[in-house]
Amino acid sequence: MKLISKYIEKDRSGRVTVCPEEPEDMWHIYNLIMPGDRLKATAFRRVQSVTATGSTSSQRVRTTLTIKVERTEFDAQECVLSVNGQNVVENEYVKLGQYHTLDLELNRNFTIYKVEWDTIAFERIAEACDVTNRADLAAVVLQEGLANICLVTPSMTIVRQRVETSVPRKRKGFAANHEQGLRKFYEHVMQAIINHIKFDVVKAVLVASPGFVKDNLFQYIMEEAEKRELKELLANKNKFVLVHCSSGHKHALEEIMRQPAMQARLADTKAAAEVRAMERFYEMLGKDDGRAFYGWDHVRKANARGAIETLLVTDGLFRSVDLVQRRRYVRLVESVRQNGGKVLIFSTQHVTGEQLQQLTGVAAILHYPVPDIEDDEEDEQPAADSGSGQRV
């Protein structure tokens, strides 16, 4: 994403104009645009006009609209973002107060106006505009008859294609049918890899499965690449990394990335850092030593004591329509950093983010045990939106 211009007042109100350059930018923008913001963007309207003879004609005209945002819809598969709201600026084709949906497009500038730009919003823009944040990891997670071809970016895991093929069971006297079904399945997976993985961008292609399915697929791909002279596959043979997993479903990615070999290979990626943090968190929970808590109330109390080493929080909490709740979590992030703690903001489009979301969306690993937090009866009531939190 490209930052075109920015104008922020001392009270943090102001506008930012950006230009999305690739599909993942739409995820960042979805996290930026909140109900109550104003959005100025290009729109197309169908306009009817009456000629001198009384006949009507219709034409599609391009105009610029500014709406007050009420609702946003994001399609994670297609990375398409639609924003709905009321028109708030006089326009030749759209009346004041009339509802309109703006479909944001790649390579078209638009401007976001906010009453308050906070730290998280500015960090989101900085992350999206960093050219090093690109999908440099691909994964093929499969089992017999099922495969998911995924792209793993710093912000999300995108399933580009799901391949499902019926493979006859291996029975005595019908082994040929089984082998034929497998080859058909491998062919579909190979074509999906060719269509969806950009080898000039990705640094590695993880191929994971139970048993020997991954090995047989890789052997098939290399043999067919030799026969058909598929030079791109042959030239990138060393990018394929074969690993074991328990199933061919998307959630197996988190299991794969916990493996030490993958941790070493992906040591500098945001996704790997999140996996390591979740592993440490669950390890602390299992030890029952008072160094891991989740839920707003307990995490807030731990932060009040300056005890948080690592704060784990999902980006979904910063999309709350409740401005008070959003500010609460922004202040928590800022406070943890001021106390010298580390903050990891998990994307709910990653498997690890989905796991954290199930634990209320906020958790903390502490510098030292604080077991009495659970018994700390403060006057302030726990936040109903996040759960009371607990430690195992």
Side-chain angles (χ1 to χ4, degrees), residues 14 32 63-64 67 111 132 135-136 142 222 275-276 282 290 292 295 325 370 385 392:
L32 280 174
T63 185
T64 299
I67 63 172
T111 302
T132 63
D136 57 1
L142 73 157
M222 289 302 115
V275 170
R276 288 195 297 273
Y282 282 121
Q325 180 187 347
V370 190
D385 56 273
V392 174

Side-chain angles (χ1 to χ4, degrees), residues 4 19 39 105 159 213 231-232 249 267 274 280 299 308 314:
I4 306 301
C19 179
L39 176 66
E105 300 179 14
V159 178
V213 181
K231 296 180 180 179
E232 187 175 44
H249 296 280
E274 292 177 356
R280 283 196 64 215
V299 171
I308 295 181
T314 64

Side-chain angles (χ1 to χ4, degrees), residues 97 239 360:
K239 290 186 178 181
T360 74

Side-chain angles (χ1 to χ4, degrees), residues 85-305:
Q86 287 182 297
N87 179 37
V88 293
V89 175
E90 192 71 46
N91 184 277
E92 180 181 358
Y93 305 107
V94 182
K95 296 178 181 178
L96 281 174
Q98 186 175 346
Y99 280 89
H100 187 86
T101 298
L102 292 173
D103 296 314
L104 301 184
E105 300 179 14
L106 295 180
N107 302 310
R108 286 190 187 277
N109 296 358
F110 58 84
T111 302
I112 304 169
Y113 299 82
K114 285 182 178 289
V115 174
E116 179 183 348
W117 287 87
D118 58 41
T119 305
I120 302 300
F122 284 130
E123 287 180 358
R124 175 69 64 174
I125 292 174
E127 179 183 349
C129 293
D130 184 351
V131 295
T132 63
N133 287 336
R134 296 296 181 261
D136 57 1
L137 176 65
V140 181
V141 188
L142 73 157
Q143 62 192 48
E144 284 194 3
L146 171 67
N148 285 283
I149 289 76
C150 308
L151 295 179
V152 183
T153 77
S155 301
M156 57 200 302
T157 300
I158 308 168
V159 178
R160 298 306 298 167
Q161 186 174 338
R162 181 182 173 92
V163 177
E164 289 187 86
T165 303
S166 177
V167 178
R169 296 179 63 183
K170 193 172 184 178
R171 295 180 295 171
K172 187 176 180 180
F174 295 92
N177 291 345
H178 176 73
E179 291 300 320
Q180 184 179 359
L182 277 179
R183 290 184 67 83
K184 179 182 176 183
F185 171 60
Y186 293 152
E187 176 64 24
H188 287 322
V189 176
M190 184 178 76
Q191 292 303 323
I193 289 172
I194 293 171
N195 292 335
H196 296 293
I197 297 177
K198 296 181 180 179
F199 286 95
D200 57 338
V201 176
V202 300
K203 296 175 182 176
V205 181
L206 307 183
V207 183
S209 77
F212 295 99
V213 181
K214 61 186 182 303
D215 307 271
N216 296 335
L217 170 66
F218 181 67
Q219 182 180 347
Y220 176 87
I221 290 174
M222 289 302 115
E223 288 176 354
E224 293 300 311
E226 287 278 3
K227 290 178 187 176
R228 307 180 200 180
E229 297 184 352
L230 302 175
K231 296 180 180 179
E232 187 175 44
L233 288 175
L234 294 172
N236 290 281
K237 180 179 179 178
N238 63 343
K239 290 186 178 181
F240 286 84
V241 182
L242 308 187
V243 292
H244 178 270
C245 69
S246 59
S247 78
H249 296 280
K250 175 189 169 185
H251 62 74
L253 264 177
E254 192 269 338
E255 168 194 336
I256 296 163
M257 296 181 72
R258 285 204 310 264
Q259 298 178 20
M262 288 301 97
Q263 290 289 321
R265 183 109 186 208
L266 309 172
D268 60 342
T269 68
K270 180 174 182 285
E274 292 177 356
V275 170
R276 288 195 297 273
M278 286 299 292
E279 276 192 312
R280 283 196 64 215
F281 176 75
Y282 282 121
E283 181 183 351
M284 295 296 181
L285 280 177
K287 287 180 178 178
D288 191 26
D289 65 353
R291 286 190 58 195
F293 291 88
Y294 64 89
W296 164 257
D297 195 44
H298 288 167
V299 171
R300 173 185 60 80
K301 292 175 182 177
N303 180 58
R305 302 184 186 195

Side-chain angles (χ1 to χ4, degrees), residues 303-322:
N303 180 58
R305 302 184 186 195
I308 295 181
E309 174 196 309
T310 304
L311 176 69
L312 292 67
V313 58
T314 64
D315 55 15
L317 295 174
F318 302 107
R319 291 197 301 273
S320 173
V321 296
D322 182 349

